[in-house]
Amino acid sequence: MTAPVFVVGHLPDAPEFVLDGPEGRHAVSVKRLRTGEQVVLTDGRGRWARGVVRAAEGKDRLVVGDLGQVHEEPPPAPRITVVQALPKGDRGEVAVETMTETGVDAVVPWQAARCITQWKGDRGLKSLAKWRATAREAGKQSRRVLFPDVADLATTKQVAGLLAAADFAAVLHEDRDYASEPLATVALPDEGEIVLVVGPEGGVSPDELEAFAAAGARTCRLGPTVLRTSTAGTAATALLLGRTGRWS
């Protein structure tokens, strides 16, 4: 089994470090780590170091020693961003969690025209904070050291700008009349940025499709079945990671 991952504000320069607070409590009281076990400390931004548990003190202090060289995770190529329309209930957090575990590099929440959920005021800020916390926890659980970015809520115009700047951009659509190209066979870049748009349960509106096509996005389908908005991004990310060699 790979070593559990814990997040720190910055990687220590010294060979020993005390992990305390919520991360220390999780290590001692939840994971129940003991002397001699290996752990990984990371800042979640790609820098990480491996160490060995020296002692567990109380309920929330883990002494980590033998910290080795600080490593830097290389930038992914190509980088995969999923624009995720807001799902109902907690399905947004499910989407972020599974996309993070799969390996997505960035998630952009999108207020699509047909979204039932609306992120406004304090509710919007709390929902965004939940998405970001979910990405952090899922990053730890999946043993990542470079966690995905979760951007601020985007408008359709802002999404069109992301698509225009991408090296490959596509809107996922289940209707063959709109999506004649399968994502499984379309040509992909070896480097740069791939941006995918996942619409809401009600689908991407014609006006949105037109705006995205004008920005250079293609319309692609995943397969013969219709996926929910909370699972389509995860399936598409897995497909792209396999096709681009990042899972090889």
Side-chain angles (χ1 to χ4, degrees), residues 5-241:
V5 172
F6 298 95
V7 182
V8 296
H10 65 277
L11 272 297
D13 297 326
E16 188 170 283
F17 181 80
V18 176
L19 188 69
D20 54 14
E23 291 291 275
R25 185 175 302 109
H26 185 73
V28 175
S29 300
V30 179
K31 300 294 289 185
R32 298 184 180 277
L33 296 179
R34 295 294 180 261
T35 301
E37 295 188 78
Q38 289 194 339
V39 297
V40 169
L41 303 183
T42 181
D43 60 3
R45 299 184 296 276
R47 301 182 76 244
W48 63 277
R50 190 181 301 274
V52 177
V53 176
R54 286 289 174 239
E57 301 174 349
K59 296 181 178 180
D60 60 358
R61 284 172 56 88
L62 192 78
V63 180
V64 180
D66 291 345
L67 281 168
Q69 176 186 355
V70 175
H71 302 275
E72 187 86 30
E73 187 82 358
R79 191 170 188 266
I80 299 172
T81 295
V82 173
V83 176
Q84 175 67 59
L86 304 181
K88 296 181 291 184
D90 63 355
R91 287 188 174 273
E93 288 135 69
V94 171
V96 172
E97 179 180 59
T98 54
M99 284 192 286
T100 298
E101 292 172 356
T102 303
V104 77
D105 303 302
V107 179
V108 179
W110 170 40
Q111 190 73 66
R114 293 176 176 171
C115 285
I116 295 175
T117 298
Q118 300 287 316
W119 279 11
K120 294 181 179 179
D122 288 343
R123 177 183 178 182
L125 294 175
K126 289 178 181 178
S127 296
L128 179 59
K130 284 183 179 180
W131 280 34
R132 287 174 172 163
T134 298
R136 172 188 167 102
E137 293 307 310
K140 290 167 52 181
Q141 186 277 327
S142 55
R143 308 295 199 260
R144 291 180 63 168
V145 295
L146 182 56
F147 300 167
D149 298 319
V150 178
D152 291 338
L153 180 66
T155 64
T156 296
K157 183 177 180 180
Q158 290 169 326
V159 171
L162 289 175
L163 298 173
D167 297 280
F168 174 83
V171 181
L172 299 181
H173 205 291
E174 78 282 359
D175 193 333
R176 287 176 178 266
D177 292 336
Y178 287 100
S180 58
E181 296 181 291
L183 190 63
T185 58
V186 70
L188 297 172
D190 294 327
E191 298 181 348
E193 183 93 18
I194 294 175
V195 180
L196 292 181
V197 176
V198 176
E201 298 291 356
V204 182
S205 73
D207 288 346
E208 290 164 341
L209 285 173
E210 184 177 346
F212 296 159
R218 301 157 89 154
T219 308
C220 298
R221 67 180 186 275
L222 269 176
T225 60
V226 178
L227 301 181
R228 300 199 70 154
T229 184
S230 54
T231 55
T234 300
T237 297
L239 175 62
L240 292 176
L241 289 169

